[in-house]
Structures are given as structure tokens and as C-alpha cells.
Amino acid sequence: MRLSQLFSTTLRQEPSEAEISSHSLLLRAGFIRQLGAGIFSYLPLARRGMNRIENIMREEINAIGGQELTMPVVHPADIWQETGRWSQIGDEMARFQDRTGHQMVLAMTHEEVVTDLARREIHSYRQLPQLIYHIQTKFRDDPRPRAGLIRVREFTMLDSYSLDRDWEGLDHQYQSHYDAYFRIFNRCGLPVRAVGSDTGMMGGKEAHEYMYLTPVGEDTLLFCDSCDYAANRQVAAFGKLTPPDEKPAPLEKVATPNVSTIADLADFLGIPASRTAKAVFFAAEKSGQGKPLLIFAVLQGDMALNETKLVNAIGASGSGSITTLRPALEDEIRAVGASPGYASPIGIQRDNVLVIVDDLLPHSPNLVAGANQEGYHLRNTNLGRDYQPDMIADIALAEDGSPCPHCDGRLQALRGVEVGNIFKLGTRYTSALGATFLDEDGEAQPIIMGSYGIGVGRLLACVAEEYHDEHGLIWPITVAPFPVHLMLLPSKDGSAEKAAEALYTALIEAGIEPLYDDRDERAGVKFNDADLIGLPLRVTVAARSLENGGFEFKRRDRDNRWIVPVESAIEVIKTELDQCHQEMLQRFNL
RNA sequence: CGGGGUGUAGCGCAGACGGCUAGCGCGCCGCGUUUGGGACGCGGAGGUCGGCGGUUCAAGUCCGCCCACCCCGACCA
């Protein structure tokens, strides 16, 4: 490709909307352009990089038995209604009507369509297992796109789906993906960690996320410093310190004027926060019901609430499908007889209230809790004696420094970007859509499903985030849009032009397509653009290099330059590119 | 959805007290000089000042409404 003809230009100045390196550099180097919030065009350089990523994905998924197909981006609403997600998912799903007035949706994921295909095609255990995948555009109307390609609304994902006759089969395919996904990321040069995660809107049993650790990430992960425990903060368990073993003491009302926070309370009474009980309120809107359910969560005063755990606990309790959880209004709290700032479950009305206490509370005696009266607290409240919970569950948020749930270590909090995820869906969708097969005994069984996804653009952005310096991008050989940046610096006698053109042709004939900077620009401009675009190997053809005995070679990720004789240029380029590959394999033990 | 911010040429920005043909740097086009780390000279092109409405003799500038984008939060993969 001749740079003079390439459909994009580099920008000298940093675009004002870019806050993080990958966004800024991908814009400046001419890889992407933004059309709207979270909506981008991928110009030829980005497209080529993404093609290479997608081909790595195809190789790895094919290697574990995947078959590529393509499923539609526009779906009729009824399959989403069949699984219940039509009403479960909110504004994040883009909906519209076609000309005949039928409700349609833009695909935000493809479980429904896969399951529909499965129920049409799969009838016998003899047809299982299956693994199908596609690389397709999705749209999620995210309330807040940000950080360039890291969090967008329209995006392309590799999406694979496993279909099995039993749970052992799912376990096997899940494990295959677990490993294949590591290979995909590593072949792209991206170091990732797998962590246990929430299943969120996907539903199902077990799930892992692949996290690229970076301060620009918006997920918080917790890693044990001495064992291999790792989890997204949303689901992270932790070892709760055992409270003192005291006998329950009599309840005692104590005046606490203007003391409405845990910190003030502990201060005022001269006790640690861990000796207090904290109340947190949410209103749960139930589908198809008018009056929201008040969620009254109680945990030890030194701990923060984990909303994801709370939602999952409520879901597990079977108390109806909760569509949304929002902070309760003050009136809603007062309506049950609780007093904000001085609240406890003691003595409140219990109809249409769900009291959920953290699983540490049964072991934490004599806590100071609210008296449900402005300006007063109660000493020595005890679960069981003074109030009964509707449910006991782990609803506390793990923090940096929390004890590991599995060993004596401490959890460390780090930021990360989720670049992929894998879910054991089980029969969540196949049961809903009636995707069954007949087993050997002629009995209908629901197909057991798994789903696995990687965002292509987000992966590209993370690679850019990982590999760059103050001059520009530094692409790993495996995802670079071109392997070689061939640079011509014009000469008076035309010798450099002649040599560069010859090398350009010879490289293409050798199956190596370079990006050929044939522009009539100053050397400084060309060198700076080469650094910005960041191709792995730069080959400069100039009068000076020819006088010195050939072409000047430089790797983008190294500082040194050296001269290679004209006649061995192709061979050395091949060697260098191969060397880049080898270094990559070594770094990731591939 | 809440809070904050920004919309003036392709990019980065000035102009805001209402007042002449709306500027600057970079980029772009032409000619010449220059040619290994973002050259120089001369000459050009390019703007419904985010949109609509209002006030006024006069609006980029004042007022109202709306829209878009960015950041923080809520939310989310």
C-alpha cells in the first residue's frame, strides 16, 4: 500500500476529545474516526489490524472444533419475548418497528438466535456436541460510552456458543474456550488474567472474565497476594474477621443527637465501626407490579454493601424477578417505620419489606444499631433475639486489603478492562425456547449451552494501550496492519526512488505487503508518521543509506539502526519479522 | 438520568464591551527554493460562528428553547 494513496491522514495535534493513549493515538495515526457517541468508523489501518485479530480468533476457535456462521443483527422481538429478556433488559436494547409495525431489536448478543437455530437443527444426541461461532456487529445502547474504543455502543464481537447433551460436555467445551481465549489474547500480544465474574444479564452458572490490567480500566479486580484467587469485585468473596465472642447483653437505648453516619456514631460512642450495624435501603421494582418492594440490607458497620451480591441474593431467594434496583426514597423508608440515619430492622413493619442481613451478622453480637427514632441508637442489638431477617447472605463488598477467602493472604485491588468473557449458560435459553434433543432412551432433554465472547475493537484498543510510547503506537507483529514500513527519502539522482520501487515490488512478490511511504514529504514528517503508525519494521531507502551500503533497518520497539545490503534486504526482512514472531512466542510461552 | 464542561475552517484555538469584508497556528491547493527527524518565501481555497426562535438599526457576542460531544457519577460487557 502506498501511503500517498492510503485513505486516512495522520493528525499532528492531539484531538481534544481523547483522554487515554489508545484513543488519542488511534485517532492521530488515522486508524479510527468517531461518528457519534460510542460509534466509530474503522479506517483501513484499523480494519487490517482487526482482520488479523479476527483471523487469529478463527484459527483458535476452529482448532477447538468451531464452525463459523453468521447470525443476523436485526431480530424480531418475539424470540426475545420468549426468553423473557424483552422485558428484562431495559433501554440498553435498541428497539424499533419495521414498516409493518412489527417490533424489532438490534442484536446486543445472540443467545436467542443460537437457541432458535439449535431447536430447528438439533434433534438427536447424535448431533451433539456442537460449537458454532460468528464475528458480528452488536449494538448496546450504553448509557455512557467512553475512552475511545474501550467502551462503545456499536462493536464487533467474536461470539461462540457450545451446545452439549450434558454438563460434562459443557465443562469440557468451557475448558477448551478458557484455554483458547488465553491463546487468542496472547497471540495478539495482550497479557490478560482470568477472574471469576458475575453472570449479569446472561444468566447461567459459572463465568469468567478476561481482564487486561491497566489503570485506565473501569472494572475493579481483586487478586490474592499469595494464592491464585482472583475475582471481579462485583462477586469477590473475602474472609470476614471473626467478631468478639460475647454473650448477648440487654438492649439499651442511647441518645445520639446529630449522629447519623457510621463514622460519627463510632466516634461519638468511642467504639470501632465494626461494632455497629449499618442499614442500606433499596427499592426493587418488580415486573408487572405497582408497589416496589423495600430492600432493607444490614451489614456490619465497617463494611460496604455489594449491590451485585445483593441483587443475586434476592434473585436466588425466588422473590420474583427483580427488574431494577434503585436507592430507596426517604418517604419509602419512613413508610415502614424506619428512620433514615437512625434505622434498624428492629420494630419496623414487615409487609412488603425484605430484610437481608450479611452472613457475618449472626456471629457479630451486641452491635449498635439505629432505634428508628431521630437522635437515638440501640446498644447490644442481636440478630435472632431482637429481629429476624428474611434472608442471610454474603452481601459485603471486598476491598483492597481484605483477607483472602481461601488462604492467609490479602486481596489486592487492581483496575482492568474486560476484553472477553465466558459463561456456562446451562439450560437458561434452551428451556425457554424448547431447544431439546432426544437421548438414547428417546427422552427429550434440553440442550446444555455455553457462550463465549471477545470484543474485537476493544481488544485492538487494549493492544494499543499496552504497546505505545511518547512517539506513537508500537504494534505487535501479529496484529500490525502491515509488517513493514518502507520509507523513501527522495534523492537527487533518482537512485533511491528506483531502489525503493524495486524493493516495494519485490516485497509484494515475496508475499510481504509493506506500507510504502512514497509521499513527497520532508524526512522529519515521514519519520514521525512512521513512529506514530508504529509498524514493527522500518526500512529506509535514501541516497545516504545507499552510500552507506544499502537500506537502513530499524525496529519500532528497539533503538538501534543498521544497514543491510540491497541484495539481501528481502532475506533480512524475513529474518527480522520471524524474529519478532519468535520473541512474541517466547514472551507468552506459546 | 444527576453533576460539570465544550460547540467558531480538516485539526488545535482566539474573538464575548453587540458595530466594518470573523481571526491565528497547523493542515490543504499553486509556483519557487529546500531535502535524514514535524523547512522557507510568495500567492490561494476553505466558515449558514451547533440548531431554532427572540431582543435590537445591527447578534459569533445578549435572552429562551433544543441538539451534539467530552468528563465524573448512576448503569453496563
Side-chain angles (χ1 to χ4, degrees):
Chain A
M1 182 72 220
R2 289 173 188 270
L3 194 45
S4 60
Q5 302 303 313
L6 184 71
F7 188 82
S8 72
T9 49
T10 55
L11 307 174
R12 294 199 176 188
Q13 272 149 329
E14 187 162 335
S16 59
E17 72 261 26
E19 299 262 325
I20 67 167
S21 305
S22 63
H23 188 196
S24 172
L25 291 172
L26 288 172
L27 281 170
R28 281 226 293 142
F31 282 65
I32 58 173
R33 294 292 181 251
Q34 182 167 348
L35 180 63
I39 302 177
F40 287 85
S41 292
Y42 301 87
L43 304 189
L45 289 173
R47 186 62 262 170
R48 292 182 68 103
M50 287 165 66
N51 286 346
R52 304 202 61 205
I53 289 173
E54 290 175 7
N55 283 333
I56 289 172
M57 291 170 164
R58 289 189 172 94
E59 286 176 23
E60 292 296 339
I61 302 302
N62 288 343
I64 58 170
Q67 298 177 54
E68 185 171 9
L69 45 68
T70 296
M71 290 178 276
V73 181
V74 174
H75 306 173
D78 49 357
I79 48 170
W80 288 80
Q81 285 159 348
E82 273 191 80
T83 60
R85 286 161 118 190
W86 170 259
S87 51
Q88 228 173 59
I89 296 172
D91 293 338
E92 206 182 335
M93 182 152 69
R95 303 157 205 244
F96 64 99
Q97 291 186 356
D98 68 11
R99 62 197 301 158
T100 61
H102 290 120
Q103 289 286 344
M104 310 293 281
V105 312
L106 286 184
M108 48 190 296
T109 177
H110 286 81
E111 281 75 17
E112 276 76 2
V113 180
V114 169
T115 312
D116 179 67
L117 282 175
R119 73 178 164 183
R120 292 168 190 276
E121 305 302 323
I122 305 295
H123 306 105
S124 158
Y125 71 93
R126 295 175 203 273
Q127 294 172 281
L128 295 172
Q130 288 286 352
L131 173 55
I132 53 182
Y133 73 97
H134 69 350
I135 297 173
Q136 178 64 293
T137 299
K138 296 167 193 285
F139 187 84
R140 294 182 191 174
D141 198 357
D142 194 298
R144 187 152 107 74
R146 54 176 289 271
L149 257 36
I150 300 287
R151 190 164 144 181
V152 295
R153 296 196 293 170
E154 188 199 279
F155 56 99
T156 298
M157 273 187 100
L158 158 70
D159 233 352
S160 49
Y161 299 89
S162 62
L163 307 173
D164 282 279
R165 58 175 304 191
D166 53 27
W167 291 92
E168 290 69 36
L170 172 61
D171 290 344
H172 177 76
Q173 297 226 52
Y174 190 85
Q175 186 61 44
S176 304
H177 277 86
Y178 187 90
D179 298 335
Y181 273 30
F182 267 113
R183 284 194 297 275
I184 290 171
F185 294 121
N186 289 342
R187 285 181 65 186
C188 292
L190 196 70
V192 294
R193 299 272 306 257
V195 305
S197 75
D198 184 42
T199 52
M201 73 167 182
M202 292 298 183
K205 300 201 171 307
E206 191 180 351
H208 284 88
E209 292 171 340
Y210 292 82
M211 307 295 314
Y212 163 58
L213 266 41
T214 164
V216 307
E218 51 186 349
D219 282 303
T220 300
L221 301 323
L222 290 156
F223 297 98
C224 178
D225 58 15
S226 74
C227 75
D228 61 359
Y229 181 75
N232 191 306
R233 192 182 194 189
Q234 291 179 321
V235 298
F238 64 104
K240 295 171 184 168
L241 301 172
T242 316
D245 184 19
E246 296 170 356
K247 289 264 181 294
L251 269 185
E252 183 190 327
K253 195 165 175 179
V254 51
T256 52
N258 298 316
V259 174
S260 59
T261 67
I262 293 292
D264 289 349
L265 181 64
D267 233 34
F268 184 81
L269 297 175
I271 56 172
S274 60
R275 299 287 73 222
T276 68
K278 171 190 290 185
V280 187
F281 302 94
F282 290 92
E285 312 276 2
K286 289 207 262 182
S287 44
Q289 285 189 24
K291 200 177 174 195
L293 178 71
L294 185 74
I295 307 294
F296 193 138
V298 187
L299 56 172
Q300 201 170 270
D302 57 334
M303 294 183 181
L305 180 89
N306 181 326
E307 253 185 76
T308 304
K309 286 183 181 178
L310 183 69
V311 169
N312 289 341
I314 296 168
S317 78
S319 35
S321 62
I322 303 299
T323 51
T324 52
L325 206 60
R326 58 167 169 83
L329 304 171
E330 187 164 328
D331 288 349
E332 292 169 328
I333 298 169
R334 291 196 190 281
V336 302
S339 178
Y342 302 91
S344 77
I346 299 172
I348 61 162
Q349 294 168 36
R350 294 293 289 269
D351 49 308
N352 209 36
V353 176
L354 193 67
V355 176
I356 303 182
V357 303
D358 185 58
D359 58 5
L360 181 60
L361 285 212
H363 313 289
S364 191
N366 298 329
L367 297 178
V368 175
N372 289 323
Q373 184 184 348
E374 186 84 15
Y376 291 91
H377 281 83
L378 295 170
R379 286 188 193 271
N380 305 322
T381 69
N382 285 279
L383 178 77
R385 184 191 70 183
D386 304 318
Y387 63 99
Q388 298 295 336
D390 295 304
M391 184 190 304
I392 298 176
D394 171 26
I395 54 170
L397 185 68
E399 320 242 20
D400 189 56
S402 290
C404 174
H406 294 332
C407 75
D408 292 337
R410 294 274 161 178
L411 298 179
Q412 185 193 4
L414 293 170
R415 306 281 283 180
V417 174
E418 180 185 348
V419 286
N421 50 40
I422 56 180
F423 295 92
K424 286 187 182 176
L425 298 177
T427 58
R428 161 77 178 83
Y429 299 96
T430 50
S431 294
L433 293 180
T436 59
F437 64 94
L438 294 182
D439 63 17
E440 290 96 325
D441 302 325
E443 284 195 43
Q445 305 284 355
I447 296 170
I448 315 275
M449 209 165 126
S451 91
Y452 318 86
I454 299 177
V456 180
R458 184 181 277 189
L459 176 50
L460 185 81
C462 286
V463 172
E465 200 63 41
E466 175 74 3
Y467 298 101
H468 70 269
D469 62 16
E470 66 274 27
H471 302 295
L473 298 158
I474 307 173
W475 291 106
I477 184 76
T478 47
V479 304
F482 296 89
V484 175
H485 192 110
L486 173 59
M487 186 186 315
L488 163 66
L489 299 181
S491 58
K492 284 198 180 77
D493 61 3
S495 59
E497 284 81 348
K498 203 175 292 175
E501 291 288 338
L503 180 57
Y504 180 54
T505 310
L507 275 171
I508 291 170
E509 277 168 12
I512 302 169
E513 188 181 3
L515 184 62
Y516 174 28
D517 191 351
D518 59 337
R519 296 174 305 169
D520 180 21
E521 285 286 355
R522 312 219 95 217
V525 172
K526 294 186 156 205
F527 282 123
N528 279 304
D529 279 348
D531 289 345
L532 184 58
I533 294 170
L535 303 180
L537 182 64
R538 187 181 81 197
V539 177
T540 307
V541 180
R544 186 202 286 181
S545 74
L546 292 171
E547 279 166 30
N548 290 341
F551 305 139
E552 181 193 271
F553 280 48
K554 180 184 177 297
R555 272 177 58 167
R556 180 64 179 87
D557 60 351
R558 303 278 164 80
D559 286 332
N560 60 310
R561 313 164 187 190
W562 72 103
I563 296 288
V564 171
V566 174
E567 55 279 10
S568 51
I570 297 273
E571 195 184 330
V572 176
I573 287 169
K574 283 181 178 166
T575 313
E576 283 300 315
L577 297 181
D578 191 52
Q579 177 64 25
C580 290
H581 271 109
Q582 292 305 321
E583 288 168 14
M584 183 116 174
L585 297 181
Q586 263 171 25
R587 174 171 175 194
F588 291 99
N589 282 318
L590 289 164

